[in-house]
Amino acid sequence: MLKSILVEECTRTKLAPSLEKVLNDLDRESTHHDYIVALIIVLLAEAGFYLSSSYSDRPQCPKLLYIPKSWKSRDTGIYEMYFQLESVPDVECKLVVVPLGDTLILNFFPLMDGKTTYSISVQTLKYVNPYSSDLCGRYMNLKAISHRFKDQLSTPVRKDLFIKAGVMGPSLQTIPIELKFRILRLLDAYSVTKMAQCCREFRDICSESQLWKDLLYRDFPGCYRTVSNGKDCYRFRSHHEEVTTHTRPTLDP
């Protein structure tokens, strides 16, 4: 089985690595609300939003996911965090999560003139099982909450930011990163290497080892599922296949 990349691809036995990483910052005293907000941090990262550079405890690599120490008020229980869209880093966005019983009110908006605040309510126990002893069983209905959050919060805010930045009209730059991965998975390997030459963002995305593992398992079903470097293994298998059958294009060196 392929390792999950996105939250919506998680199963009862496999969690996305990004979600596992964030959950390591929680402890036994964490509440079901904490688990939902930790999940939101990952969903925002999938849409290109990373915690603001203003946090003093931010890792050197901005794409490393973590829970900031000041994420929740001890007095009110309200969560407040600041994010930056990777493509528009000069405008911060604020996430405010207000607990009301077993419901969370999620508010997300950019800190700019004429801003629009986007809000949804989440029934926590619909998505978190507080009685599960393992992390994989802690979450439920992840695909549903992932789609709802992105459709109603992160995607509208992305749109507002891109309009502010002057990026108008249909563009691959404006779609969430998980859709970019899905598009790349449909391409042949040669086209992926060409996409990597478009810009820095696609260079980074097209270098992801998991993407190349997916292409490897798709094009060479007999490959072992435990390869460490997907691109190097694909290059080797592609070259071998071309030498023997002349049916597959080799990758650029």
Side-chain angles (χ1 to χ4, degrees):
M1 179 181 294
L2 297 183
K3 195 170 186 179
S4 301
I5 297 179
L6 305 175
V7 164
E8 66 179 71
E9 297 173 335
C10 294
T11 67
R12 293 184 178 181
T13 58
K14 292 286 185 180
L15 285 179
S18 54
L19 184 55
E20 283 187 290
K21 172 66 175 63
V22 169
L23 294 182
N24 287 333
D25 290 344
L26 298 180
D27 54 36
R28 294 182 178 180
E29 297 181 357
S30 298
T31 67
H32 51 304
H33 288 336
D34 292 339
Y35 277 89
I36 285 291
V37 179
L39 172 66
I40 297 306
I41 293 175
V42 178
L43 292 177
L44 282 171
E46 290 183 357
F49 292 92
Y50 295 93
L51 285 159
S52 171
S53 57
S54 61
Y55 284 105
S56 59
D57 55 343
R58 186 191 194 193
Q60 290 186 346
C61 177
K63 290 188 177 182
L64 287 179
L65 301 185
Y66 71 104
I67 295 176
K69 295 179 180 179
S70 58
W71 74 323
K72 180 171 64 171
S73 169
R74 293 184 178 181
D75 297 328
T76 64
I78 295 176
Y79 304 80
E80 292 188 11
M81 286 175 283
Y82 295 88
F83 294 82
Q84 292 169 305
L85 182 62
E86 186 178 19
S87 305
V88 190
D90 55 327
V91 179
E92 284 193 330
C93 300
K94 188 174 184 179
L95 174 70
V96 180
V97 182
V98 181
L100 295 173
D102 288 328
T103 300
L104 289 176
I105 308 300
L106 278 58
N107 306 280
F108 192 47
F109 53 90
L111 298 177
M112 62 185 188
D113 295 337
K115 69 177 184 296
T116 299
T117 299
Y118 299 91
S119 304
I120 61 172
S121 63
V122 174
Q123 296 179 359
T124 310
L125 296 179
K126 183 178 179 180
Y127 304 103
V128 175
N129 176 9
Y131 305 106
S132 176
S133 58
D134 66 285
L135 290 180
C136 292
R138 186 62 56 91
Y139 289 103
M140 305 173 290
N141 305 313
L142 284 177
K143 187 173 184 178
I145 191 174
S146 174
H147 288 189
R148 185 180 174 212
F149 178 83
K150 292 172 183 176
D151 290 345
Q152 299 182 30
L153 290 187
S154 62
T155 298
V157 172
R158 280 173 57 91
K159 178 183 176 182
D160 291 350
L161 288 172
F162 279 122
I163 292 176
K164 175 73 174 179
V167 180
M168 303 293 290
S171 169
L172 284 177
Q173 187 181 9
T174 62
I175 65 175
I177 190 170
E178 71 272 10
L179 294 183
K180 294 173 185 174
F181 271 113
R182 290 190 181 278
I183 292 172
L184 291 172
R185 289 173 186 166
L186 298 175
L187 302 179
D188 59 77
Y190 181 77
S191 298
V192 172
T193 62
K194 292 303 181 184
M195 285 293 295
Q197 301 174 20
C198 293
C199 61
R200 180 181 300 176
E201 180 185 14
F202 272 97
R203 181 195 65 190
D204 294 340
I205 295 175
C206 293
S207 298
E208 287 286 341
S209 181
Q210 185 61 48
L211 170 64
W212 285 99
K213 288 180 183 180
D214 292 346
L215 298 178
L216 177 68
Y217 303 148
R218 181 196 69 189
D219 296 342
F220 305 99
C223 281
Y224 291 108
R225 302 286 172 148
T226 56
V227 297
S228 57
N229 190 310
K231 187 172 184 179
D232 286 347
C233 189
Y234 193 102
R235 181 182 285 111
F236 173 80
R237 289 301 303 266
S238 178
H239 177 72
H240 176 75
E241 189 79 7
E242 185 182 57
V243 169
T244 56
T245 66
H246 301 283
T247 58
R248 299 182 190 274
T250 57
L251 300 183
D252 289 343

